[in-house]
Amino acid sequence: SSTCEAAAARAAAAAAARESGQRAGSWAMGPPSLFVAATRQHTGKTSAALGIVSGLQYLLNAAQPPLRPSRHGAAGAPDAPLGVGFMKPVGQKSVRVREGSRHFGVDKDVPLFKELLGCAGAYSEMSPVLVGKGYTRKYLQGKISAADELARIRRSFEAIAHKSDLVVVEGTGHVAVGACVGLSNARVAAHLNAPMVLVLNGGIGSTLDEFVLNAQLCHAEGARIGGVILNKINPSKLRDVEKFTVDALERVHGVPVLGCVPDFEFLSRLAVLDFENVGLSLLVGHEHRCSHRDVETVLTGPAEFSRKILADRLASRRTLYAIHSSRADLLGTLRASLEDDGAGGAAAQSGVILVENTTAAPSVWEPFRRFGVPVLS
């Protein structure tokens, strides 16, 4: 499943990189960029954007020669990559952040891209417009100007673009969201001259219907659709989607399909990072922050726990075992299993949540570090 995700992200990233290569010599068309939007809510747009940014970062670092020529003129040597910029031009749900001496709200997705992936851009640039309570009413009363807001978005976009090689812009909801205040995703994408990548839920009939509906607004606003990602495809229907939906989109509508991502069950499980977000501390295993895990509380004895570890290993299950910090016997059982399996073995896909870890010394959890096993407390 991770291979399928990576393939889709790399395909989308490669398409963006090709576009940036064609446009890098002149910014007359605008900075190299793409706009990730969806055809409805809950298509996995933010997850797709994370994959695209990660894929672009890999390609930028690996590209030889660099994808972007010298910023000092055609005669100069190619520059080292600056990285990938990110922005969410129109946000809805917000979180508070600190930047310098200021505290202010930004769209809830922005810290994920800035802190986790290290995307270029200041917080104030990455989330220039927040549509909060009362915003629509003020717009309809003439107290807010869409032209002014678009100009603010453009200034933020250009500021990020000058710090990065490419800018990934993430929309909010389907392409018409924001139309009530003159800031639909389609209009913003057209204003930034950023080709759109639409994320659709993978099916056949309903998927094509949703694409056509959303594409009409894109065309009306002058936004260009650069490609689509078919996401959350029922694995049993993957071949049909690849045969019929992909063919219709590419042959009938002339839009390239950048990736088909199956909806595997484990992707709906919590990631280690989710546990950090609710207050747990990650003691070791930071490289596994984005990996998904099941959670099971261990209340048995060492012998039964050892059988459980073996069963999970044989079933290739990734499990976080919730173990009381006083149960040295259970922690020892897991360490012994890791010793037997080796650092790269299936048992290393496990992890530990130390329950009531108020007195446990680092010696309790430090032995897990060399196995790369996440331990939370």
Side-chain angles (χ1 to χ4, degrees), residues 230-303:
L230 300 176
N231 197 26
K232 296 185 177 181
I233 303 170
N234 185 326
S236 67
K237 297 181 179 179
L238 179 60
R239 289 188 178 180
D240 283 344
V241 169
E242 290 175 334
K243 179 178 180 180
F244 297 108
T245 310
V246 172
D247 176 69
L249 288 167
E250 295 187 337
R251 180 176 54 81
V252 179
H253 298 286
V255 176
V257 175
L258 304 176
C260 295
V261 185
D263 187 15
F264 287 100
E265 181 185 352
F266 95 93
L267 292 174
S268 64
R269 296 169 187 162
L270 295 174
V272 173
L273 182 63
D274 293 316
F275 293 94
E276 290 186 88
N277 289 337
V278 295
L280 295 185
S281 298
L282 184 59
L283 304 176
V284 296
H286 293 77
E287 64 272 26
H288 295 292
R289 268 198 167 113
C290 294
S291 62
H292 300 258
R293 294 289 195 276
D294 288 318
V295 181
E296 292 197 18
T297 301
V298 183
L299 300 173
T300 61

Side-chain angles (χ1 to χ4, degrees), residues 28 30 34 57 109 147-148 168 219 250 268 277 293 329 368 376:
L34 60 84
Q57 288 174 332
D109 291 334
D148 290 345
V168 174
H219 297 325
E250 295 187 337
S268 64
N277 289 337
R293 294 289 195 276
D329 54 342
F368 292 98
L376 294 132

Side-chain angles (χ1 to χ4, degrees), residues 65 153 203 253 263 270 301 304-305 314 332 346:
I153 290 169
H253 298 286
D263 187 15
L270 295 174
E304 188 172 342
F305 183 37
L314 294 175

Side-chain angles (χ1 to χ4, degrees), residues 287-288 337-350 368-373:
E287 64 272 26
H288 295 292
S337 177
L338 291 166
E339 293 278 3
D340 292 341
D341 209 29
Q349 298 299 313
S350 60
F368 292 98
R369 186 185 298 278
R370 66 190 179 96
F371 299 106
V373 172

Side-chain angles (χ1 to χ4, degrees), residues 92-98 103-112 123 127 130:
Q92 292 179 317
K93 297 179 180 179
S94 64
V95 294
R96 301 285 292 178
V97 298
R98 178 178 179 178
H103 290 80
F104 54 94
V106 298
D107 183 87
K108 64 179 179 62
D109 291 334
V110 168
L112 192 61
Y123 270 126
S127 183
L130 279 176

Side-chain angles (χ1 to χ4, degrees), residues 296-317:
E296 292 197 18
T297 301
V298 183
L299 300 173
T300 61
E304 188 172 342
F305 183 37
S306 181
R307 289 192 291 272
K308 169 62 179 169
I309 294 171
L310 178 59
D312 286 347
R313 183 193 308 178
L314 294 175
S316 299
R317 280 193 292 268

